[in-house]
Amino acid sequence: MSGDRLQNIVNRLTERLNRDVLIEKSLYEIREVLQSDRAVLYYFYRKWQGRVTCEMLSAIELSILGSTGPDECFNGEYAALYEAGRVRAITDIETEPIHQCHREFLHSMKVRANLSVPILTKKGLWGLLIAHQCSGPRTWLRSDIEFMQKQAQNMAMSPTIQDS
């Protein structure tokens, strides 16, 4: 193996590690500041198809790592809203007017309230930062939303995320 190829591999691994550290640090801060039950990164690996690639939890039994969203619920219409910067704060999935498949999906993950913020790069919608309250309904404060938006902006500006 040539020195250049080895250096390229080392550089890619370093970039991935830096990206992963940034994501984990952001999710840790979200969970700590918001005191939510779960904070996750939902990463889009293909157009409107994604999965939970990182999470911070209040309890291990709340893990949804590797979960994929219901593709039939997250379509181009929803994606366009998030690409336009949409933030979605749901106080209670039982009373919020959402699609039934979305409600069932959130039920399956033990979610009662959630806050979703897009991570937007120059290339478009990269992922979603999501805070879940599983223990009961929750009214998300303006400060909660602004904090999540700031975390998403910081991630979006990171070269390791812009280049991935």
Side-chain angles (χ1 to χ4, degrees):
M1 185 178 288
S2 74
D4 286 345
R5 281 188 51 200
L6 184 58
Q7 188 59 50
N8 285 341
I9 292 169
V10 169
N11 290 346
R12 281 199 314 269
L13 289 173
T14 301
E15 287 171 11
R16 277 196 190 138
L17 181 61
N18 289 341
R19 183 189 64 212
D20 292 351
V21 167
L22 170 68
I23 291 167
E24 287 183 14
K25 182 177 180 277
S26 296
L27 292 178
Y28 177 81
E29 288 177 10
I30 288 166
R31 238 207 40 73
E32 287 297 303
V33 169
L34 300 186
Q35 290 296 297
S36 61
D37 292 321
R38 178 171 48 216
V40 303
L41 169 69
Y42 188 81
Y43 167 70
F44 291 101
Y45 55 87
R46 248 194 316 266
K47 191 159 183 89
W48 318 146
Q49 293 183 330
R51 96 173 354 127
V52 173
T53 58
C54 192
E55 65 185 2
M56 289 293 158
L57 311 165
S58 63
I60 193 67
E61 61 269 12
L62 295 177
S63 178
I64 59 170
L65 192 64
S67 297
T68 58
D71 295 333
E72 67 278 4
C73 290
F74 195 87
N75 55 32
E77 176 188 338
Y78 275 122
L81 292 170
Y82 282 111
E83 278 193 314
R86 171 198 204 185
V87 170
R88 186 76 195 262
I90 297 176
T91 299
D92 186 350
I93 69 161
E94 300 300 335
T95 58
E96 187 77 14
I98 56 177
H99 286 280
Q100 188 59 30
C101 67
H102 190 200
R103 187 181 330 276
E104 289 168 7
F105 176 65
L106 293 172
H107 265 292
S108 74
M109 296 186 305
K110 301 180 176 105
V111 174
R112 190 65 190 268
N114 81 331
L115 174 57
S116 302
V117 176
I119 301 169
L120 298 166
T121 67
K122 290 178 250 168
K123 297 176 184 176
L125 183 60
W126 186 83
L128 298 172
L129 273 182
I130 305 170
H132 287 155
Q133 199 65 42
C134 302
S135 55
R138 175 176 179 161
T139 300
W140 301 99
L141 305 175
R142 176 175 288 286
S143 59
D144 297 337
I145 294 167
E146 289 170 354
F147 178 74
M148 286 276 284
Q149 287 175 309
K150 182 75 173 149
Q151 292 293 322
Q153 288 167 354
N154 289 344
M155 289 176 72
M157 289 187 309
S158 166
T160 61
I161 287 179
Q162 287 182 10
D163 298 337
S164 65

